[in-house]
Amino acid sequence: MLLTLLGFGMVITFMTLIMTKRLSPLVALILVPIIFALLGGFGAGIDKMMLDGIRKIAPTGVMLMFAILYFGVMIDAGLFDPIVGRILRAVKGDPLKIVVGTTVLALVISLDGDGSTTYMIVVASMLPLYRRLKMNALSMTCLAMLASGVMNLTPWGGPTARAASALHVDAGDIFVPLVPVMGVAIVSILVLAFFLGLRERRRLGVLSLPGGASLHAGYDEDGPKTLPEIEVDQDLRRPRLLWVNAGLTLALMVSLMVGVLPLPVLFMIAFAIALVINYPDLAEQRRRVTQHAGNVLSVVSLIFAAGIFTGILSGTGMVEAMSRSLLAVIPDAMGPYLAGITALVSLPFTFFMSNDAFYFGVLPILSEAAQGYGISAVEMARASLVGQPVHLLSPLVPSTYLLVGLAGVDFGDHQRYALKWATMVCLVMLAAALAFGLFPLVGQLS
């Protein structure tokens, strides 16, 4: 009983401190479990628990570190520049093409797993067209957010990395079977983009821009006066190496899918090759690493801190005690449905709490309970990712404020406009996951 109270108290305290912004996730992940372990009398073995937890998530931390560095080098070298240029030339004055082009651009840029980068590039590239043609910018923010929510399910994206760390499973085992589901979700987003674009075309018609007109960002009087520009250092661009970089990225993705080597090793090798090819000068190599060190530190430090949280939660036996209590509350008739229940509750749970609170606080409890019905941890991890498109509408997500701020739209308007579409995409993902057998609709008592 004491372990159950300590476990739930630790999780509730952790979530409360994060949601009320009394502590940062990094600090809370480290201090809260240590305090509760000491209160429970586990001071003698706390060092081993923390180290065990850190060891288990070390591969995930290494993968994230080199994935961020790799995609940072690719963006610096201009791998995505031709895609942006072609989309802008192709859409011209057709609202339908503009909306679909926005979605395609967001899907491609979201491959780096960083929502902030996606929003900056998409808004800076497409907002001038929306403003010039008097299109509804809410369709742009909605589709950019949905694209980011789906593409963030890559192993180097935050949700999958958190689920893998919290349940101590391999991120590749979660991600690879998810690829068909992501494909179905991408198709649904493109269909939605076509529908929204068609609605805009019917409202505005196909417009032609004045020849040679400069499409600089012009805001209304009630919005920001200037659009923040993305600083582009042309000296860093490597247009002659475009196809080399594209081939390297394609080879990396194929190797990841096939499982040629462990994910951390693949990204380490790819980053080293990309850095040498694009920036052979040693001084420039150091500058590229330094440039992206801030992003690396903020993500990887969080992952290693999570190792302390999950290590203590497991090492003290709190997870087992909490799971037994949860199993006692859940009717036997509902237990076999825990994977589907987790997928559904991930929508409201990740909306009202941060990803850290859900994946490190709630998911381990649900997963431990589900194992009693023959549902594996990796299946529960996949189920927990279904709600990510809705999660990005949460007021707890900083990048969403960046998105609406850059687009000059009201946060509440964005939520009301996008919520039904985000829910639709989540339900499509759930149906596809069940169809592809990523987790069982009904488990069996083991």
Side-chain angles (χ1 to χ4, degrees), residues 75-90:
I75 292 174
D76 290 341
L79 175 61
F80 301 112
D81 289 354
I83 299 174
V84 174
R86 285 191 179 93
I87 289 175
L88 290 175
R89 287 194 297 269

Side-chain angles (χ1 to χ4, degrees), residues 63-113:
M63 180 204 65
L64 285 172
M65 176 189 300
F66 286 95
I68 294 171
L69 289 173
Y70 176 82
F71 282 108
V73 168
M74 288 295 105
I75 292 174
D76 290 341
L79 175 61
F80 301 112
D81 289 354
I83 299 174
V84 174
R86 285 191 179 93
I87 289 175
L88 290 175
R89 287 194 297 269
V91 299
K92 297 183 180 177
D94 187 348
L96 173 59
K97 292 181 180 179
I98 292 173
V99 174
V100 174
T102 299
T103 307
V104 173
L105 178 62
L107 287 167
V108 173
I109 302 301
S110 294
L111 187 64
D112 73 341

Side-chain angles (χ1 to χ4, degrees), residues 331-340 373 375 440-445:
D332 292 338
M334 297 297 294
Y337 299 93
L338 271 175
Y373 296 93
I375 305 172
L441 179 61
V442 183
Q444 297 180 351
L445 188 63

Side-chain angles (χ1 to χ4, degrees), residues 7-49:
F8 280 112
M10 185 169 87
V11 172
I12 292 172
T13 302
F14 170 72
M15 290 190 294
T16 302
L17 289 173
I18 290 180
M19 293 174 68
T20 58
K21 298 185 178 180
R22 300 294 179 87
L23 289 178
S24 68
L26 177 64
V27 175
L29 282 169
I30 297 172
L31 295 183
V32 171
I34 292 176
I35 292 172
F36 275 83
L38 294 176
L39 290 175
F42 295 99
I46 193 173
D47 54 346
K48 183 179 183 301
M49 297 176 196

